[in-house]
């Protein structure tokens, strides 16, 4: 037992013993014992009152000078209070350092509550988004940034990639907004000025589109002369081989320019694709016949039409995407292999797959397949005459239709490329029959 408690019990025993002695000498024992107990209780209540008063007015009064167990309790309270003050000062200091460092960031930072209300923002966020302190504190961020794309992004659950918008306060800016959830439903909204990057990207797109247009005419002339030379019987037979090679390279350059122009057109087109009706089964049957007519195709080419539904969208873009996937499957599958096209649907949407048992793709290359000019094997792709733009075209075409591309592959065993289309883009057979009627 601690010494303080031993001393307190000894004091209580001494007071009661004194009352007992006085009761034996002077009068009734119980009366003196009761008086001693009341005296001890009154003294304890006085100490308790002094402790309570000091706790309530701690900022104004010094700790009471009480000995014994009460003094020990007061000492512990003082130590706890000092420790609390120390940690509080450290937290305040850390918070101030955090605010100063966040305020100095080149990017905007906004702290949002679980209801998307603005808790705090730094100077850069105020400059980029036109926020004002303290007027905008406590307001919902989607009431200040009313861009529909941002509202959908904020209320969604996919924050892996930032959203690029043009703010209403400065229409010449491009801002990348990204939500970072943390804590109990709170989140950070990071705001970055990407105007320079977007302008460079626009310049790159314009250059590619203009260069492709300018190259098309001279390349058409060169191809025409090469075709004429190839059919001219008076040409020295020694030139037959070089002319054939030049014609093949001219065709390859024409294919690259065609893909560049198609990709530039998709990138330059804003918004979603139109909602024209597309008879997908008929389109796939035509692609199937074209594949069978190809002399360099694998031995087995199959088409599985498990649904007769169609799509709402741009027929040219959908056909371009399907053709690129089919051509890739035919190109990278051995002569005795199999390429299968599959079209099916369910309650969540519609799907188109190209399944092959070709060379496959190493897993580290799959995330970058849809990048422009990206090649898994540059030598093999160049030998096959690929442009490196086919899957980029597929990605952009699917994005315009609210869809996405999934790639599954095992190296040496084959690949499966699947286009996913949302249910809003699916034209079901019952609707088609009613429209026909």
């Amino acid at each position: 037992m601690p010494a303080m408690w031993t001393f307190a019990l000894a004091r209580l025993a001494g007071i009661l013993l004194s009352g007992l002695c006085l009761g034996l000498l002077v009068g009734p024992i119980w009366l003196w014992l009761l008086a001693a107990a009341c005296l001890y209780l009154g003294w304890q209540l006085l100490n308790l009152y002094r402790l309570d008063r000091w706790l309530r007015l701690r900022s104004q009064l010094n700790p009471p000078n009480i000995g014994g167990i009460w003094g020990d309790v007061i000492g512990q309270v003082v130590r706890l209070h000092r420790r609390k003050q120390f940690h509080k000062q450290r937290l305040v200091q850390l918070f101030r350092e955090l605010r100063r460092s966040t305020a100095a960031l080149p990017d905007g930072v906004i702290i949002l509550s679980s209801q998307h209300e603005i808790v705090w923002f730094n100077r850069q966020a105020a400059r980029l988004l036109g926020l004002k302190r303290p007027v905008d504190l406590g307001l919902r961020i989607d009431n200040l940034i009313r861009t529909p794309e941002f509202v959908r992004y904020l209320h969604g659950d996919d924050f892996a990639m930032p959203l690029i918008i043009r703010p209403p306060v400065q229409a010449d800016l491009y801002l990348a907004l990204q939500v970072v959830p943390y804590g109990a439903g709170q989140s950070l909204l990071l705001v970055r000025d990407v105007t320079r990057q977007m302008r460079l990207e626009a310049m790159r797109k314009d250059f590619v589109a203009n260069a492709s247009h300018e190259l098309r005419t001279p390349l058409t002339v060169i191809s025409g002369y090469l075709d004429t030379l190839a059919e001219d019987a008076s040409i020295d037979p020694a030139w037959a081989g070089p002319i054939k090679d030049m014609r093949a390279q001219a065709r390859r350059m024409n294919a690259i320019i065609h893909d560049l122009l198609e990709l530039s057109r998709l990138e330059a087109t804003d918004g979603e694709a139109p909602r024209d009706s597309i008879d997908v089964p008929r389109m796939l049957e035509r692609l199937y016949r074209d594949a069978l007519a190809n002399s360099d195709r694998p031995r087995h080419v199959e088409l599985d039409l498990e649904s007769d539904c169609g799509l709402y969208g741009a027929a040219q873009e959908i056909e371009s995407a399907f053709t690129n996937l089919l051509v890739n499957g035919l190109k990278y599958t051995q002569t005795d292999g199999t390429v299968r096209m599959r079209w099916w649907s369910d309650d969540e949407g519609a799907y188109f797959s190209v399944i092959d048992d070709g060379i496959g793709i190493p897993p580290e290359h799959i995330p970058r397949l849809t990048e422009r000019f990206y090649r898994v094997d540059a030598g093999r792709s160049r030998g096959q005459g690929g442009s490196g733009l086919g899957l980029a075209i597929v990605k952009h075409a699917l994005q315009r239709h609210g869809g996405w591309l999934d790639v599954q592959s095992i190296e040496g065993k084959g690949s499966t490329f699947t286009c996913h289309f949302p249910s809003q883009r699916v034209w079901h057979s019952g609707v088609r029959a009613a429209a026909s009627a």
Side-chain angles (χ1 to χ4, degrees), residues 10 39 291 293 336 347 400 406:
L39 177 65
D336 58 346
D347 294 338
R400 290 246 301 150
D406 176 64

Side-chain angles (χ1 to χ4, degrees), residues 351-397:
Y351 313 89
F352 170 72
S353 288
V354 174
I355 307 162
D356 65 70
D357 55 3
I359 60 176
I361 304 168
E364 64 271 15
H365 293 286
I366 292 178
R368 300 188 59 189
L369 285 179
T370 56
E371 295 180 10
R372 303 174 188 87
F373 299 109
Y374 184 79
R375 302 172 187 271
V376 176
D377 186 337
R380 182 187 296 269
S381 299
R382 193 171 293 109
Q384 296 285 353
S387 66
L389 296 170
L391 292 180
I393 293 174
V394 173
K395 182 187 75 171
H396 282 81

Side-chain angles (χ1 to χ4, degrees), residues 406-424:
D406 176 64
V407 182
Q408 302 292 331
S409 182
I410 300 177
E411 189 174 7
K413 294 186 177 181
S415 306
T416 299
F417 291 79
T418 304
C419 302
H420 295 248
F421 296 96
S423 58
Q424 297 85 351

Side-chain angles (χ1 to χ4, degrees), residues 42 62 93 99 108 133 142 147 190 195 208 253 258 261 302 309 315 326 364 366 400 412 436:
N62 293 323
Q93 183 179 1
R99 290 186 60 175
R133 188 181 287 111
D142 48 356
T147 307
L190 305 180
T195 305
V208 170
M253 291 181 66
H258 176 271
L261 291 174
E302 302 172 0
C309 66
L326 177 59
E364 64 271 15
I366 292 178
R400 290 246 301 150
S436 300

Side-chain angles (χ1 to χ4, degrees), residues 334-345:
Q334 297 85 350
T335 306
D336 58 346
T338 301
V339 174
R340 182 164 70 98
M341 293 184 290
R342 182 187 176 205
W343 171 253
W344 79 102
S345 64

Side-chain angles (χ1 to χ4, degrees), residues 90 111 161 179 258 275 396 424:
R90 286 204 60 184
I111 299 178
M161 298 298 294
V179 175
H258 176 271
R275 299 183 63 84
H396 282 81
Q424 297 85 351

